[in-house]
Amino acid sequence: MRVATWNVNSIRARVGRVVDWLVREDVDVLAMQEIKCKESQFPFEAFQEAGYDVVLHGLNQWNGVAFASRLPMEDVANTFTGMPGFGKELADGSLPQEARALGVTVDGVRLWSLYVPNGRALGDPHYEYKLTWLRELATQTAAWMSAHPTQPLALMGDWNIAPLDSDVWDIGVFAESTHVSVPERAAFAEFERIGLADVVRPLVPTGYTYWDYKQLRFPRNEGMRIDFVMGSQPFADLVTDARIDRNERKGDAPSDHVPVVVDLDLDLSAELATDDDDRPMIFG
DNA sequence: ATGGCCCCGGATCGGGGA
């Protein structure tokens, strides 16, 4: 099974590119972020004609997450328990929920499409929202893993965090910026503490997943690595290959992010974990 | 090659992105 995650930066502006890519690259399941539309606006037809079903969570022109899959999707969840909201307080005292998390199960593998809040600036209310959102996600993920210790799980998406200095083109430029701050990196590390790991990094040690549209960032290769597939041990045991499709930043009307692809061999789950010489070592 | 922001709504700008 080939799975991928891609912040598409508006599916309506990019549907042709995305569907062409799915078919050309033989992808089974794609987690999308920033679809920037609600269900009534989603271009279902193009996906269906290519053999993909779509489930999505979109409330308005901001954020929005979706899955396209040519395998059956089950147990769809359009939020995680306790997900914080953001914005102007509602009549009941709560904050508006945003469309940033969507979970599905495909062939027994639990997958989430996540669009982590940007944070905007250090000290901005959105920055605290980002940290709280991540903390709650980690808490809920740990609880789920305790209840499903053997089921493969991956949190896929735009994490809006660069965990390593080498994940940005010039760490000096980011001295007072979001995405690289100590609290954000600590929030990311919490997912490693509860038993998830970046399953792509061991196979693709270098490379960015995002380049700003401005200032010739892509031609100069001034990018950021902020899109990750964080898998549990049972998920990592299935991984046979991974890649970052840098070509998707080229050509007409690209997203500012590119797809991150992971290949799984579901037959491996039935095998003993001893003779795994062909598989990459992901957990230490 | 990969090229000097792009997306949205509902307007002719402002918010958001990172």
Side-chain angles (χ1 to χ4, degrees):
Chain A
M1 181 165 77
R2 178 165 287 167
V3 302
T5 182
W6 193 359
N7 179 323
V8 297
N9 185 21
S10 171
I11 190 57
R12 287 177 289 171
R14 215 92 49 217
V15 58
R17 260 193 98 126
V18 171
V19 173
D20 286 351
W21 180 84
L22 281 173
V23 172
R24 189 171 69 249
E25 301 297 331
D26 200 27
V27 174
D28 296 299
V29 184
L30 174 64
M32 290 175 270
Q33 300 86 39
E34 283 208 88
I35 62 169
K36 291 187 171 177
C37 69
K38 48 193 172 186
E39 186 150 7
S40 62
Q41 301 170 306
F42 192 94
F44 288 102
E45 297 76 11
F47 284 88
Q48 286 165 349
E49 287 169 9
Y52 292 85
D53 285 333
V54 171
V55 297
L56 70 96
H57 182 42
L59 299 171
N60 48 44
Q61 70 269 41
W62 293 298
N63 316 306
V65 283
F67 276 96
S69 175
R70 53 188 186 189
L71 300 169
M73 293 179 279
E74 303 174 307
D75 299 323
V76 178
N78 68 10
T79 186
F80 57 86
T81 305
M83 188 180 80
F86 183 79
K88 189 180 173 188
E89 196 171 285
L90 300 172
D92 66 359
S94 68
L95 298 178
Q97 292 272 301
E98 299 184 315
R100 295 182 176 275
L102 183 68
V104 298
T105 300
V106 180
D107 224 336
V109 180
R110 188 65 176 159
L111 300 170
W112 284 87
S113 178
L114 301 172
Y115 181 44
V116 175
N118 170 290
R120 294 180 187 165
L122 302 182
D124 192 288
H126 209 260
Y127 179 76
E128 291 305 319
Y129 170 48
K130 178 181 195 173
L131 296 176
T132 304
W133 196 94
L134 286 164
R135 194 176 309 121
E136 193 59 39
L137 175 63
T139 298
Q140 295 303 324
T141 300
W144 187 92
M145 290 170 71
S146 292
H148 308 82
T150 63
Q151 187 174 355
L153 165 72
L155 306 186
M156 308 191 293
D158 177 356
W159 289 75
N160 271 320
I161 296 172
L164 306 179
D165 286 358
S166 56
D167 291 333
V168 298
W169 78 91
D170 180 356
I171 193 63
V173 172
F174 286 80
E176 301 300 323
S177 300
T178 59
H179 293 63
V180 300
S181 72
V182 169
E184 288 166 284
R185 287 177 169 176
F188 188 82
E190 180 67 7
F191 290 88
E192 296 167 337
R193 198 191 66 76
I194 67 171
L196 299 175
D198 180 346
V199 301
V200 177
R201 179 112 45 195
L203 294 157
V204 188
T206 62
Y208 303 131
T209 64
Y210 162 88
W211 297 260
D212 200 307
Y213 288 119
K214 292 183 283 191
Q215 297 176 266
L216 291 169
R217 291 298 187 212
F218 184 59
R220 298 180 193 277
N221 196 28
E222 295 176 343
M224 304 172 73
R225 185 165 178 146
I226 54 177
D227 299 271
F228 301 107
V229 177
M230 300 295 289
S232 65
Q233 178 74 64
F235 182 90
D237 286 342
L238 308 178
V239 174
T240 60
D241 204 358
R243 64 197 176 85
I244 298 170
D245 195 347
R246 194 174 184 282
N247 282 332
E248 280 306 304
R249 188 63 177 79
K250 303 176 183 177
D252 291 332
S255 171
D256 42 3
H257 296 250
V258 294
V260 179
V261 185
V262 174
D263 286 332
L264 306 174
D265 183 348
L266 297 183
D267 292 333
L268 290 175
S269 61
E271 295 177 13
L272 292 174
T274 49
D275 53 355
D276 56 354
D277 293 345
D278 294 340
R279 279 181 277 153
M281 181 63 71
I282 289 165
F283 283 85

